[in-house]
């Protein structure tokens, strides 16, 4: 699978959960593009919007993640159940 950091950000969610103090966290592998703290994302297919509060890339705190990296995104503006396995960001 070719991963391109210059394309639009896309991540397929494999897990979503709530962590006290962080809120909703979605995990998965970045398929294309990049994401940074403060970026606004859309949850598809629902069309909900969220802002990246913080992120971890390849199991370490980071300001940015790009194609090919595993990441966990703490998302502001969403509640439990708004994101689940199979959704895309």
């Amino acid at each position: 699978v070719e991963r391109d950091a210059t394309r639009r950000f896309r991540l397929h969610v494999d897990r979503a959960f709530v962590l006290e103090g962080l809120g909703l966290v979605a995990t998965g592998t970045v398929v294309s593009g990049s994401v940074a703290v403060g970026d606004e994302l859309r949850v598809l297919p629902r069309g909900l919007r969220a802002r990246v509060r913080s992120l971890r890339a390849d199991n370490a705190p980071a300001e940015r993640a790009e194609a090919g990296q595993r990441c966990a995104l703490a998302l502001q503006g969403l509640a439990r159940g708004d994101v689940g396995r199979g959704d895309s960001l």
Side-chain angles (χ1 to χ4, degrees):
V1 174
E2 184 177 328
R3 293 183 169 94
D4 185 351
T6 63
R7 296 179 61 201
R8 180 178 294 186
F9 173 74
R10 190 171 43 141
L11 175 141
H12 297 297
V13 177
D14 59 21
R15 245 178 102 207
F17 50 91
V18 174
L19 280 179
E20 189 172 330
L22 275 183
L24 184 69
V25 175
T27 67
T29 301
V30 180
V31 177
S32 65
S34 63
V35 64
V37 173
D39 285 356
E40 186 175 288
L41 304 176
R42 290 187 58 201
V43 179
L44 299 174
R46 294 177 177 98
L48 302 172
R49 293 188 183 276
R51 190 179 66 79
V52 179
R53 177 186 303 223
S54 65
L55 67 87
R56 293 181 66 87
D58 293 331
N59 210 23
E63 291 294 315
R64 176 178 268 327
E66 53 188 45
Q69 291 185 298
R70 288 277 310 154
C71 74
L73 304 172
L75 300 171
Q76 183 176 12
L78 297 174
R80 182 186 305 266
D82 285 346
V83 177
R85 182 177 180 88
D87 288 341
S88 293
L89 300 175

